[in-house]
Amino acid sequence: QSALTQPASVSGSPGQSITISCTGTSSDVGSYNLVSWYQHHPGKAPKLMIYEVTKRPSGVANRFSGSKSGNTASLTISGLQAEDEADYYCCSHAVFSTWVFGGGTKLTVL
Amino acid sequence: EVQLVESGGGLVQPGGSLRLSCTASGFTFTTHDMHWVRLATGKGLEWVSTIGIADDTSYPGSVKGRFTVSRENAKNSLYLQMNSLRAGDTAVYYCARGLRGSTFDYWGQGTLVTVSS
């Protein structure tokens, strides 16, 4: 199972919006509405930001939103804040009861 | 408050073995799938194993046959037995709680495993 494809880095200024893409295949993203997004500050525990493509856990700001079209999922962060600077990973359920992650995207808030 | 605390990481030689533990608290352990995920320097997260509430297990091809996940419900504990370790297994290993088979909703802080001679 190959890793999902994410851009290595994205950047934006405070207050702007950014979108991170996550491209998989018909064996993972395209077949399951079980895409999640995680925020990871190095040295800390990863934090769930979006699950089941569009759902936000309690406590996650509504500036974070998710979507999916075909084999590509996306995470959009609006109203960027300095604290959003982190690594972001997508994850999808895949065939044969497996899970596959993306390579990660480093978000820089300028 | 959900807490997951990993332990057991360290330096091991290639071909060696290591057993990781994860102690859970703040939730009913027996009603959740549990997972191991690792993060190697310069790479992305990689799913390592899953154990369901019925002790059903799954692994990716990269560790199948070498790693074994288990759980001890009486101790709210998750384990990962890692054998025939390779340099490519060097990573921070996280345990994570499963949420209704849809995602990993809580993660621990991780434990570092270094495979080197």
Side-chain angles (χ1 to χ4, degrees), chain A residues 34 36 38 40 43-46 48 51-52 89 97-99 101-103, chain B residues 35 37 39 43-45 47 50 58 94 101-105 107-109:
Chain A
L34 295 177
S36 300
Y38 302 92
H40 187 221
K44 296 195 173 183
L48 177 66
Y51 69 103
E52 293 177 9
Y89 293 91
S97 298
T98 60
W99 298 88
F101 283 88
Chain B
H35 310 270
V37 179
L39 179 61
K43 296 191 176 182
L45 291 168
W47 168 68
T50 293
S58 56
Y94 299 95
S102 73
T103 190
F104 313 152
D105 63 346
W107 299 57
Q109 298 267 9

Side-chain angles (χ1 to χ4, degrees), chain B residues 3-25:
Chain B
Q3 285 197 319
L4 299 167
V5 179
E6 302 93 339
S7 60
L11 175 63
V12 60
Q13 292 190 338
S17 298
L18 209 57
R19 188 195 195 207
L20 305 183
S21 300
C22 171
T23 302
S25 61

Side-chain angles (χ1 to χ4, degrees), chain A residues 9-103:
Chain A
S9 63
V10 297
S11 62
S13 299
Q16 288 186 332
S17 294
I18 63 94
T19 296
I20 300 172
S21 62
C22 170
T23 301
T25 69
S26 57
S27 296
D28 38 65
V29 176
S31 289
Y32 303 93
N33 288 323
L34 295 177
V35 176
S36 300
W37 289 91
Y38 302 92
Q39 178 190 67
H40 187 221
H41 290 102
K44 296 195 173 183
K47 178 183 177 182
L48 177 66
M49 306 303 285
I50 296 287
Y51 69 103
E52 293 177 9
V53 179
T54 61
K55 297 179 180 178
R56 260 189 325 273
S58 173
V60 172
N62 60 11
R63 303 185 294 105
F64 292 83
S65 62
S67 63
K68 190 185 90 166
S69 177
N71 295 338
T72 298
S74 298
L75 171 71
T76 298
I77 308 173
S78 58
L80 269 179
Q81 299 181 2
E83 68 221 43
D84 298 333
E85 186 163 294
D87 297 322
Y88 290 84
Y89 293 91
C90 61
C91 176
S92 176
H93 188 70
V95 292
F96 309 121
S97 298
T98 60
W99 298 88
V100 60
F101 283 88

